[in-house]
């Protein structure tokens, strides 16, 4: 029986340079999508996939993330005194969604380095990584955990992108696995390749499941593309020792650290809300007519 996947690591210590000036004083992981910060969606996704213990990699400029998942007794009492019990429960429940821990990355040395900060906390068990600025709708993480239960291998989420965009991502070459719809065997991984050198248009997308061996490879990884310690390089080294699978999917991912994708997330997720969707749909339809979009 493979060990159960109980722990998640959420790197959220990056500088957020693509979202300046907003991200100067407020973490981009705290951007609201309707009424919840992005990182709350990420934590809810982990909990829905059966994760019980979450370690957020944070930094000294991002304390507000810890406050969001802490108790706020004065606010809870004030809401209850006014009979706003549902709102009080919403505030209180944030602190009991899972066992949430925080560790600081002293310097933003790259995603690989951020994940390496979790080595002592995770110990000798498999774990998932969810990027703190990536919202994922749909059963991707759950599918990855199921794949691990079957194969006991590390798994990475993969989505096809237009070939000309591949140089913005980690890129995977992969072989099909017979009889498996969403699973492939990864044969090569390269971080942000030039379009003409890319081995495929399969891009790595913000969700990973690792065996603990990854920590040995991160410890050996030297700075790569952009001078950062890249998780892709540590994964490529891991592939010399263990199998790496890919879980392929086609939709539902929003890189909210990128302005245009943040706007897409706001529109799509607002439309899905029962309380706001119908009215917002009418407003959007009116905007589309007024702007002559279709
Ligand atoms: P990104 O590359 O999207 O974040 O990393 P960034 O470096 O903040 O982005 P830009 O390019 O400057 O806008 C994906 C996730 O990994 C975290 C980020 O906070 C984000 O959630 N990260 C990145 C770290 O925790 N530490 C790092 O050193 C780098």
């Amino acid at each position: 029986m493979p060990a159960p996947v109980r722990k998640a690591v959420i790197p959220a210590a990056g500088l957020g340079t693509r979202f300046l000036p907003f991200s100067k004083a407020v973490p981009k992981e705290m951007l609201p999508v309707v009424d919840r910060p992005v990182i709350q969606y990420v934590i809810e996704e982990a909990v829905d996939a059966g994760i019980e213990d979450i370690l957020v990699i944070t930094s000294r400029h991002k304390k507000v993330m810890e406050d969001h998942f802490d108790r706020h007794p004065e606010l809870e009492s004030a809401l209850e005194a006014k009979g706003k019990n549902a709102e009080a429960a919403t505030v209180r429940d944030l602190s009991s969604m899972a066992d949430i821990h925080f560790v600081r990355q002293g310097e933003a040395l790259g995603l690989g380095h951020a994940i390496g900060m979790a080595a002592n906390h995770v110990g000798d068990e498999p774990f998932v990584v969810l990027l703190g600025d990536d919202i994922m709708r749909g059963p991707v993480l759950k599918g990855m955990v199921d794949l691990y239960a079957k194969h006991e291998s590390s798994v990475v989420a993969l989505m096809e992108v237009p070939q000309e965009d591949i140089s913005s991502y980690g890129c995977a070459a992969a072989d099909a696995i017979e009889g498996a719809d969403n699973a492939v065997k990864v044969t090569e991984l390269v971080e942000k390749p030039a379009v003409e050198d890319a081995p495929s248009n399969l891009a790595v997308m913000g969700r990973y499941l690792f065996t603990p061996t990854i920590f040995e490879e991160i410890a050996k990884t030297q700075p790569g593309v952009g001078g950062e310690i890249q998780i892709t390089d540590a994964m490529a080294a891991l592939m010399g020792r263990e199998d790496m699978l890919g879980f392929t999917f086609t939709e539902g991912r929003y890189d909210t650290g990128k302005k245009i994708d943040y706007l897409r997330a706001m529109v799509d997720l607002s439309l899905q809300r029962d309380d706001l969707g119908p009215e917002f749909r009418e407003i959007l339809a009116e905007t589309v007519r007024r702007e002559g979009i279709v």
Side-chain angles (χ1 to χ4, degrees), residues 11-18 28-29 105 108-111 114 131-133:
L15 296 176
T17 53
R18 287 168 301 164
K28 63 174 172 173
E29 292 82 2
Q105 184 187 24
L109 296 177
L111 180 56
L131 298 192
D133 60 348

Side-chain angles (χ1 to χ4, degrees), residues 11-242:
L15 296 176
T17 53
R18 287 168 301 164
F19 232 111
L20 285 167
F22 172 84
S23 52
K24 183 184 172 200
V26 184
K28 63 174 172 173
E29 292 82 2
M30 290 301 290
L31 278 163
V33 175
V34 190
D35 50 8
R36 283 180 281 169
V38 170
I39 193 163
Q40 188 179 334
Y41 288 89
V42 176
I43 288 184
E44 285 169 356
E45 178 194 341
V47 171
D48 285 348
I51 298 297
E52 300 157 6
D53 179 295
I54 294 171
L55 179 69
V56 180
I57 313 297
T58 178
S59 78
R60 63 191 163 283
H61 306 296
K62 297 192 163 187
K63 247 192 109 286
V64 67
M65 288 195 294
E66 294 174 50
D67 296 341
H68 186 72
F69 295 102
D70 199 354
R71 289 287 307 277
H72 193 330
E74 302 89 324
L75 178 59
E76 291 162 27
S77 313
L79 288 166
E80 273 158 4
K82 288 184 181 154
K84 299 193 169 188
N85 294 326
E87 288 85 345
T90 306
V91 171
R92 196 179 316 107
D93 291 351
L94 285 168
S95 61
S96 56
M97 292 167 70
D99 233 336
I100 306 179
H101 312 266
F102 297 86
V103 66
R104 285 184 181 187
Q105 184 187 24
E107 209 180 331
L109 296 177
L111 180 56
H113 182 264
I115 296 171
M117 300 287 306
N120 283 339
H121 184 90
V122 169
D124 193 25
E125 51 180 295
F127 65 105
V128 290
V129 173
L130 301 91
L131 298 192
D133 60 348
D134 243 26
I135 292 181
M136 192 80 87
R137 309 300 273 178
V140 173
L141 196 67
K142 183 78 182 55
M144 292 169 68
V145 170
D146 290 348
L147 210 53
Y148 174 80
K150 215 164 146 194
H151 298 272
E152 277 185 73
S153 300
S154 294
V155 187
V156 57
L158 298 173
M159 189 173 97
E160 286 191 54
V161 298
Q163 190 73 37
E164 62 271 23
D165 295 343
I166 193 70
S167 50
S168 305
Y169 298 92
C171 172
D175 292 337
I177 299 178
E178 243 188 56
D181 279 347
N182 294 105
V184 292
K185 180 161 185 309
V186 178
T187 56
E188 190 186 344
L189 273 174
V190 40
E191 181 64 21
K192 299 190 173 72
V195 174
E196 57 279 14
D197 300 333
S200 79
N201 67 338
L202 267 182
V204 173
M205 289 291 173
R207 298 292 179 269
Y208 311 78
L209 190 159
F210 291 124
T211 65
T213 319
I214 192 70
F215 292 122
E216 292 171 25
E217 294 307 330
I218 291 173
K220 289 187 256 173
T221 302
Q222 298 300 314
V225 174
E228 296 190 351
I229 296 177
Q230 298 285 355
I231 191 62
T232 313
D233 295 341
M235 290 163 71
L238 182 66
M239 283 166 55
R241 299 171 65 178
E242 298 179 356

